[in-house]
Amino acid sequence: MIGGKTPYIFTETIEKSINQGAEALCLLLQELSPEYKTRETYKKIFDSAKGRPIYAANYIRNNSQTDLTDDILAKQLIEMAESGADLIDIRCDMFSPSGNEVTKNAFAVQKQKELISEIHDIGAEVLMSTHIFEYTSPEEVLEIALLQQERGVDIAKIVTVANSEKELDASLETILLLKKNLDIPFLHLCNGSHCRKHRLLGPFLGSCFYLCLENSKTQGPQPTIEEAKTMREKFRLLEENNE
């Protein structure tokens, strides 16, 4: 996961991440200063990934232009897809913002489906994300993921919170529930005091990839690239030993 106000910060961190073994790049492009939000800049940043897949996000929360409407943000997402991004992140409450980042507003849902279709026509895939800043039961998470799936996205993403061992256990169970009931790949993540184990184990239970930070970024819930690759190697050796 990479963010920054200037293209240089992105390209510098992309180079570091590739050297550390990153296999794809998640770019938080909402952090770019307004003057850099152009097709030319997006392409320059994407080209620095040297062919690795680009996952592009453009969240209105923490956006460097907080007055932007969802329609303008959607236009920027289209430009990112046209500039070479492989995976575009659309919020599950886009066009009808809500506190839990889920909307069932029929007009907003139709606009989401049209945006998803347009991105697909360009040749990119779509991830739909919901960030909930409190513990959410496995059944509630599944309900949201099924809503996302029904809207035609390629990957469902739900982020919740685990602040106790009990909530952590339920969050790990959530991954198994999603794996059993979804027809598309998914990414289930947690924040909170007990999230680290969930983020490290998630891909071995069913989540489709890791979200990591460059190795010098050791604060926060996300594992570093080194931690994720080490965990993956440990599980690979364990599987080999059990064959």
Side-chain angles (χ1 to χ4, degrees):
M1 298 182 68
I2 299 171
K5 291 185 178 181
T6 69
Y8 175 76
I9 295 174
F10 277 91
T11 57
E12 181 186 44
T13 310
I14 286 171
E15 182 178 5
K16 286 182 182 178
S17 301
I18 290 173
N19 291 338
Q20 294 166 9
E23 297 160 355
L25 291 309
C26 174
L27 306 183
L28 306 176
L29 293 164
Q30 73 274 4
E31 297 185 11
L32 274 173
S33 294
E35 65 268 26
Y36 296 120
K37 293 182 178 180
T38 66
R39 295 173 188 267
E40 292 76 18
T41 299
Y42 300 147
K43 190 173 188 311
K44 177 181 179 182
I45 293 172
F46 299 165
D47 286 348
S48 72
K50 301 177 181 178
R52 288 164 180 78
I54 296 293
Y55 163 17
N58 191 34
Y59 296 152
I60 194 166
R61 183 180 295 112
N62 299 325
N63 198 290
S64 57
Q65 294 169 272
T66 54
D67 60 335
L68 292 182
T69 66
D70 279 1
D71 288 295
I72 295 174
L73 290 169
K75 181 176 181 293
Q76 291 178 346
L77 290 175
I78 291 295
E79 292 174 348
M80 292 169 192
E82 291 176 339
S83 300
D86 301 281
L87 180 66
I88 301 294
D89 193 318
I90 295 177
R91 292 276 181 121
C92 192
D93 65 344
M94 195 163 192
F95 306 119
S96 180
S98 68
N100 63 357
E101 288 191 12
V102 178
T103 185
K104 298 179 182 178
N105 177 282
F107 179 72
V109 170
Q110 182 58 35
K111 289 187 70 174
Q112 288 179 4
K113 290 181 177 180
E114 291 171 0
L115 177 59
I116 292 163
S117 179
E118 187 171 356
I119 291 171
H120 282 159
D121 287 345
I122 293 168
E125 294 189 322
V126 177
L127 174 150
M128 181 164 277
S129 61
T130 296
H131 300 75
I132 307 171
F133 297 96
E134 60 185 12
Y135 168 74
T136 308
S137 72
E139 293 75 20
E140 290 173 302
V141 173
L142 175 60
E143 180 182 352
I144 294 167
L146 289 171
L147 284 177
Q148 295 178 351
Q149 176 177 278
E150 190 276 331
R151 292 174 194 180
V153 301
D154 304 283
I155 300 174
K157 176 187 172 186
I158 300 97
V159 184
T160 60
V161 170
N163 280 322
S164 68
E165 287 294 331
K166 183 177 180 180
E167 291 180 356
L168 171 61
D169 290 345
S171 296
L172 292 170
E173 292 173 7
T174 299
I175 299 177
L176 300 178
L177 186 66
L178 295 174
K179 184 177 181 180
K180 180 179 179 180
N181 290 280
L182 287 182
D183 296 324
I184 60 174
F186 65 89
L187 183 61
H188 181 243
L189 301 168
C190 285
N191 294 317
S193 61
H194 287 64
C195 71
R196 287 278 295 171
K197 188 180 295 184
H198 182 278
R199 285 183 177 257
L200 286 168
L201 292 175
F204 302 100
L205 298 176
S207 286
C208 59
F209 54 74
Y210 277 112
L211 285 181
C212 309
L213 296 177
E214 184 265 315
N215 287 338
S216 67
K217 310 291 185 181
T218 56
Q219 296 180 342
Q222 292 93 347
T224 63
I225 294 170
E226 181 179 15
E227 288 173 325
K229 292 178 78 69
T230 297
M231 181 65 73
R232 188 171 67 180
E233 179 63 13
K234 287 181 178 179
F235 270 82
R236 186 188 67 81
L237 292 174
L238 182 63
E239 288 175 351
E240 285 185 356
N241 291 335
N242 289 332
E243 287 179 354

